[in-house]
């Protein structure tokens, strides 16, 4: 079962709006009934819920888009689009290892449906599970995902990689000739799976920017990021959503009003819902800042001023005062005590 309330980066929707604009479709059409506005989407660090991206996709399908819309949207995705995960894939030894990283940390990717890899005697399949998707959204989501992974693989290899096989479960569009002229690879329609098969000879070629140390560090950071995004599970959807919004923009001192806007509610409603769960916005914000600060102080050698900047404080002094309030001691003292305990 998909978690449609899960927070995610807004890049996917921005790419959809870019393609729609190219095709003469207004943002108003795309964003109908999504509680999103263009101004919110293009604010730095904006997060949205998965259902909102799905709603944009369904709006586009209802409006009527070109048969190759999903494939064109997928080509907007780059390694930089998936941040830390992209860096870790880039540092992998070869394409096989990079795709294993994608499989292992797919929750950090921008896919809207589950992505898995499956070995094949001819290579490796990257497959997309459309069972979580409503019927009207399946073809666009799957085509976007296939196009995106092919684009990422080509960026990793620093050359155009042509998949051995591309299969989709949905029927061919009408007219099929329009789409076939825009894709550099053949597509098998009405298949039993949605996926891309990359040939064995492509999987073993060393990647140009491979670095074992960087990959291991990247994987460690990916695990930490997933842990941080999970935070302490709460039965309250509002608490979980606020926590994830704060984590997604941890280097900024967000106000409750800014978070409320990103969650599609008024500031008053946000405070009321948190109060009903026995929480306050300041309590959640302090908890996250404290947790990240302690991890940085314990597991890195960066200075107090850099730790402060990482969690949104412009000055070390203001961070130190906050840290003293959280822990009863100074950052430097806490680091020293922590080192002694280890």
């Amino acid at each position: 079962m998909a978690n449609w309330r899960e927070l995610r980066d807004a890049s996917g929707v921005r790419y959809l709006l870019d393609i729609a604009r190219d095709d003469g479709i207004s943002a108003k059409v795309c964003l109908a009934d999504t509680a999103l506005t263009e101004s919110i989407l293009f604010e730095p660090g904006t997060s949205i819920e998965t259902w909102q991206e799905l709603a944009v996709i369904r709006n586009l399908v209802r409006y009527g888009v070109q048969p190759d819309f999903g494939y064109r949207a997928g080509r907007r995705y780059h390694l930089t689009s998936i941040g830390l995960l992209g860096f870790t894939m880039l540092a992998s030894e070869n394409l096989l290892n990079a795709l294993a990283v994608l499989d292992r940390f797919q929750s950090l990717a921008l896919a809207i449906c589950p992505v898995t890899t499956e070995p094949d005697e001819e290579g490796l399949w990257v497959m997309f599970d459309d069972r979580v998707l409503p019927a009207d959204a399946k073809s666009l989501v799957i085509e976007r995902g296939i196009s995106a992974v092919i684009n990422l693989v080509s960026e990793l290899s620093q050359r155009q990689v042509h998949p051995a096989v591309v299969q989709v479960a949905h029927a061919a569009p009408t007219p099929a000739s329009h789409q076939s002229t825009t894709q550099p690879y053949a597509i098998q329609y009405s298949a039993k799976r949605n996926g891309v098969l990359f040939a064995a000879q492509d999987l073993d070629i060393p990647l140009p920017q491979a670095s074992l140390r960087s990959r291991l560090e990247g994987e460690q950071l990916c695990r930490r990021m997933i842990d941080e995004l999970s935070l302490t599970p709460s039965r309250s959807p509002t608490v979980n959503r606020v926590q994830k919004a704060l984590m997604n923009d941890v280097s900024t001192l967000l106000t409750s009003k800014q978070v409320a806007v990103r969650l599609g509610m008024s500031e008053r409603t946000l405070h009321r819902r948190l109060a009903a769960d026995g929480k306050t916005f300041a309590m959640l914000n302090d908890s996250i800042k404290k947790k990240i600060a302690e991890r940085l102080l314990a597991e890195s050698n960066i200075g107090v001023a850099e730790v402060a900047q990482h969690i949104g404080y412009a000055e070390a002094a203001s961070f130190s005062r906050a840290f003293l309030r959280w822990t009863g001691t100074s950052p430097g003292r806490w680091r020293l005590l922590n080192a002694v305990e280890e």
Side-chain angles (χ1 to χ4, degrees):
M1 181 68 68
N3 178 11
W4 299 113
R5 303 304 297 268
E6 185 175 31
L7 286 173
R8 58 196 285 109
D9 187 87
S11 297
V13 171
R14 288 195 289 266
Y15 298 154
L16 291 171
L17 261 61
D18 287 343
I19 301 294
R21 189 178 298 108
D22 292 344
D23 289 356
I25 304 173
S26 69
K28 182 178 180 180
V29 168
C30 298
L31 301 179
D33 301 319
T34 65
L36 296 173
T37 65
E38 276 194 278
S39 59
I40 291 175
L41 284 172
F42 287 91
E43 285 183 6
T46 295
S47 298
I48 62 170
E49 294 187 357
T50 305
W51 74 265
Q52 293 174 303
E53 183 168 340
L54 181 63
V56 172
I57 290 169
R58 300 183 80 179
N59 285 339
L60 286 163
V61 172
R62 280 194 292 268
Y63 181 85
V65 294
Q66 296 292 333
D68 66 339
F69 188 98
Y71 291 103
R72 284 187 287 141
R75 289 197 288 271
R76 296 292 178 103
Y77 286 79
H78 301 282
L79 291 169
T80 53
S81 304
I82 52 176
L84 178 59
L85 177 58
F87 164 80
T88 307
M89 293 174 68
L90 192 62
S92 300
E93 179 184 3
N94 52 38
L95 187 55
L96 180 63
N97 290 342
L99 292 173
V101 168
L102 174 64
D103 192 342
R104 194 155 60 249
F105 301 112
Q106 65 171 281
S107 61
L108 299 179
L110 295 175
I112 204 171
C113 65
V115 181
T116 57
T117 57
E118 181 179 301
D120 184 277
E121 60 182 13
E122 296 183 6
L124 184 77
W125 282 96
V126 178
M127 297 187 298
F128 300 82
D129 187 350
D130 67 0
R131 290 176 296 178
V132 301
L133 300 170
D136 60 345
K138 287 186 177 183
S139 61
L140 196 155
V141 171
I142 295 303
E143 290 170 357
R144 181 181 67 167
I146 285 173
S147 177
V149 77
I150 293 173
N151 207 49
L152 294 177
V153 162
S154 296
E155 282 195 0
L156 286 167
S157 305
Q158 294 188 6
R159 61 184 177 86
Q160 183 62 52
V161 174
H162 296 281
V165 180
V166 176
Q167 293 184 343
V168 295
H170 55 270
T174 304
S177 57
H178 174 83
Q179 184 159 294
S180 64
T181 60
T182 64
Q183 305 310 322
Y185 40 82
I187 302 166
Q188 298 176 10
Y189 292 96
S190 302
K192 293 183 178 181
R193 71 176 104 200
N194 298 295
V196 186
L197 176 64
F198 293 104
Q201 60 264 31
D202 289 323
L203 298 174
D204 296 330
I205 297 175
L207 295 182
Q209 299 189 49
S211 167
L212 177 60
R213 179 179 177 181
S214 295
R215 179 178 64 80
L216 293 176
E217 289 179 352
E219 289 184 1
Q220 185 178 37
L221 290 170
C222 283
R223 282 191 290 270
R224 290 178 186 173
M225 183 174 289
I226 290 173
D227 289 344
E228 297 295 354
L229 287 172
S230 299
L231 298 169
T232 303
S234 169
R235 293 182 180 179
S236 164
T238 302
V239 170
N240 286 331
R241 293 171 68 200
V242 170
Q243 288 177 323
K244 289 183 178 181
L246 292 168
M247 272 301 308
N248 285 345
D249 207 358
V250 72
S251 62
T252 302
L253 289 176
L254 293 175
T255 65
S256 57
K257 182 176 182 179
Q258 289 172 313
V259 171
V261 168
R262 294 180 184 191
L263 299 185
M265 64 181 73
S266 70
E267 185 179 16
R268 183 177 180 180
T269 297
L270 174 62
H271 286 303
R272 185 176 69 250
R273 291 185 181 180
L274 289 176
D277 294 318
K279 305 288 185 182
T280 67
F281 178 81
M283 184 188 303
L284 296 177
N285 196 20
D286 284 352
S287 174
I288 288 171
K289 300 292 188 187
K290 173 178 176 289
K291 187 173 183 179
I292 299 298
E294 288 178 339
R295 174 159 284 177
L296 289 171
L297 290 168
E299 300 179 8
S300 75
N301 294 319
I302 64 175
V304 172
E306 291 178 89
V307 173
Q309 291 176 357
H310 188 85
I311 63 171
Y313 288 88
E315 298 178 354
S318 55
F319 162 65
S320 295
R321 288 193 294 272
F323 193 85
L324 178 63
R325 175 167 53 83
W326 299 333
T327 66
T329 189
S330 68
R333 175 73 173 166
W334 189 96
R335 172 176 267 170
L336 180 63
L337 292 173
N338 190 69
V340 170
E341 290 176 358
E342 290 182 350

